[in-house]
């Protein structure tokens, strides 16, 4: 019992330090070092996490190469979040991996992974719900709420998100921001 309480306190303290202090350090290199070493995030070369990103759990996030997570995003990483390479996630995006079963008399919690493949764009203040896969090259418009998987190279918008267009299938760019202080 005491060991469990100590582990819980350690876990909560690490979350507090990460979200309230480390997330606001104006050095990309220092934040990435902390996220990789102490927070157990797998972050590919050339990827960048802006200041102010909030995590709900330790670990459970894998980011490919040259991907960008902009400021003030929130990741409910109770379950796993996999983000591919050359993906751009705009400011204030929420990615959720946990919810509750509203039809359950005990309001049971559920955890479902979220997968964001290569060359995906997610616009400002979009919400990605648990269990969703954003397939290669798709784009989510600002403010959209994504409840279902999005097919490759499809552009979705709205609440709930629905297809509104297509992107080119030969995407070939790097989302690399060589900034020092951000």
């Amino acid at each position: 019992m005491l060991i469990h309480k100590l582990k819980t306190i350690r876990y909560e303290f690490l979350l507090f330090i990460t979200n309230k202090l480390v997330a606001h350090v104006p050095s990309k290199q220092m934040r990435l070092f902390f996220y990789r070493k102490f927070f157990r995030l797998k972050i590919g070369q050339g990827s960048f996490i802006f200041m102010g990103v909030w995590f709900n759990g330790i670990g459970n996030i894998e980011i490919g190469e040259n991907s960008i997570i902009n400021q003030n995003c929130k990741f409910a990483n109770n379950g796993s979040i996999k983000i591919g390479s050359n993906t751009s996630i705009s400011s204030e995006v929420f990615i959720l991996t946990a919810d509750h079963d509203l039809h359950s008399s005990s309001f049971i919690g559920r955890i479902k992974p979220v997968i964001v493949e290569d060359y995906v764009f997610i616009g400002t203040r979009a919400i990605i719900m648990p269990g969703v896969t954003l397939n290669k090259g798709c784009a989510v418009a600002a403010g959209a709420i994504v409840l279902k998987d999005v097919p490759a190279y499809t552009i979705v918008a709205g609440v709930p998100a629905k297809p509104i267009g297509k992107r080119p299938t030969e995407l070939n760019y790097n989302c690399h921001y060589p900034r020092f202080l951000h």
Side-chain angles (χ1 to χ4, degrees):
M1 179 86 149
L2 178 61
I3 293 189
H4 177 70
K5 281 189 177 189
L6 290 174
K7 284 183 180 180
T8 301
I9 290 169
R10 181 176 158 259
Y11 180 85
E12 292 295 330
F13 183 71
L14 185 57
L15 274 175
F16 177 83
I17 293 295
T18 301
N19 291 325
K20 294 292 187 176
L21 297 175
V22 174
H24 301 284
V25 170
S27 167
K28 162 186 140 175
Q29 290 81 5
M30 290 177 66
R31 284 194 313 277
L32 288 178
F33 173 78
F34 183 89
Y35 292 149
R36 286 176 174 136
K37 180 86 172 157
F38 298 104
F39 215 58
R40 300 190 313 259
L41 302 185
K42 295 177 183 169
I43 304 169
Q45 291 295 86
S47 287
F48 187 76
I49 299 175
F50 276 78
M51 292 189 332
V53 173
W54 182 277
F55 300 97
N56 202 38
I58 297 171
N60 293 332
I61 295 180
E62 187 176 322
I63 302 170
E65 296 181 354
N66 299 313
S67 288
I68 304 301
I69 313 297
N70 276 279
Q71 65 272 7
N72 301 324
C73 290
K74 296 198 184 296
F75 292 98
N77 53 315
N78 310 68
S80 71
I81 298 172
K82 291 189 178 175
I83 299 169
S85 296
N86 299 302
T87 289
S88 178
I89 299 178
S90 299
S91 301
E92 299 181 8
V93 166
F94 281 41
I95 297 181
L96 307 172
T97 63
D99 65 5
H100 292 275
D101 184 352
L102 300 177
H103 299 289
S104 166
S105 60
S106 61
F107 198 53
I108 192 158
R110 304 179 292 195
I111 294 177
K112 301 174 191 171
V114 170
I115 299 169
V116 179
E117 294 186 353
D118 298 344
Y119 295 104
V120 170
F121 167 77
I122 304 174
T124 299
R125 292 193 174 176
I127 300 173
I128 312 303
M129 297 301 286
V132 166
T133 296
L134 301 178
N135 286 283
K136 184 176 182 176
C138 75
V140 176
I145 299 179
V146 183
L147 305 173
K148 300 178 188 173
D149 294 353
V150 177
Y153 308 105
T154 300
I155 302 168
V156 297
V159 179
K162 297 196 182 313
I164 62 165
K166 292 296 240 178
R167 289 183 80 193
T169 57
E170 279 83 39
L171 298 173
N172 185 21
Y173 55 82
N174 286 333
C175 292
H176 182 69
Y177 288 31
R179 295 182 178 171
F180 177 70
L181 296 175
H182 285 286

